[in-house]
Amino acid sequence: MHNYWAIGWYKVANESHEMGLIRRHENSTHVYSGTQREFLMDVQQSLVIPEVQPEDSGAYRCSLWARVGHFNQQADIILQISECSTLQSATLSRETLLLDSEQGSSVSPNSTCCWGKPVPVLATVLGLLAVNLGKGLLSLAFTLAIVVILKGKRRKKAGERF
C-alpha cells in the first residue's frame, strides 16, 4: 500500500455499473452506504465476505488509487459460489470467503466442499476397471491388426520373389 493512498472493492453489475462495497483510505476503512451485507478488508487489502452465499457470485473489482508518480490499477475477479455441504456444517453454518486482489483467486480456509455429489467407492472402482479393461482390449485389437497387416505384406513379398 505504500504506493497507493486508497483501495476500494466493488461488485460489478455490468460494464457501466459497479456498486461500492468497502474502501480503505490511508488508515481508515468504511463500508459504502447502501451495502446490504457485511464486507471486511484484511491487513493485506483482500476482500473478506463472511457467510458467503450463492447470490454473492459475480464479478468483483479491486481498485487502487496511486500516489503522485505512480499508476492507478484495478483487477477484476469472478466469484462463483454453488450450494454445497461441508464436513464442518455442524460448527460452521457458512464459510467465509476471502478474495485476494493480487492472486486473482478465492480462498476458503475451512473448505471441505465437494464439487458435486459424492460417488460411492464401489462405483468408482468399477468405473476405473471398466475404463482400463477397455483400454487393454483396444490395445490388443490394434496389436493384432498390425500383426495381420505385417504378415500380409511379408506373404506378398515372398510371393513376388518366386
Side-chain angles (χ1 to χ4, degrees):
M1 278 297 290
H2 64 278
N3 292 335
Y4 302 98
W5 65 272
I7 180 171
W9 280 93
Y10 303 86
K11 187 162 186 184
V12 180
N14 58 45
E15 289 296 320
S16 62
H17 181 68
E18 57 186 36
M19 182 182 77
L21 303 175
I22 191 168
R23 181 176 174 171
R24 180 171 289 159
H25 178 249
E26 295 181 356
N27 291 329
S28 67
T29 302
H30 73 275
V31 177
Y32 282 87
S33 62
T35 304
Q36 301 295 319
R37 66 181 326 286
E38 180 184 23
F39 292 98
L40 306 168
M41 198 180 306
D42 69 4
V43 294
Q44 295 173 331
Q45 309 346 304
S46 297
L47 178 65
V48 179
I49 305 173
E51 299 182 19
V52 67
Q53 304 284 328
E55 50 270 13
D56 292 324
S57 295
Y60 289 82
R61 178 169 292 147
C62 175
S63 295
L64 300 169
W65 289 276
R67 297 189 186 282
V68 174
H70 298 280
F71 296 99
N72 293 341
Q73 294 188 33
Q74 68 180 28
D76 289 353
I77 297 172
I78 306 297
L79 173 64
Q80 294 178 350
I81 304 293
S82 60
E83 283 291 332
C84 59
S85 61
T86 65
L87 295 175
Q88 303 161 338
S89 59
T91 57
L92 295 173
S93 59
R94 296 276 181 192
E95 298 177 42
T96 297
L97 189 79
L98 176 75
L99 291 182
D100 187 339
S101 60
E102 291 183 21
Q103 300 295 322
S105 63
S106 62
V107 178
S108 186
N110 299 319
S111 179
T112 55
C113 185
C114 302
W115 297 107
K117 295 182 180 180
V119 177
V121 174
L122 182 59
T124 304
V125 170
L126 291 176
L128 290 173
L129 284 174
V131 168
N132 286 326
L133 182 60
K135 286 181 177 181
L137 291 174
L138 280 173
S139 296
L140 185 59
F142 282 124
T143 303
L144 289 174
I146 291 171
V147 167
V148 168
I149 291 171
L150 290 176
K151 281 186 179 180
K153 285 185 178 182
R154 284 185 191 152
R155 285 183 186 160
K156 189 176 182 180
K157 280 186 178 181
E160 290 175 359
R161 288 184 190 163
F162 294 113

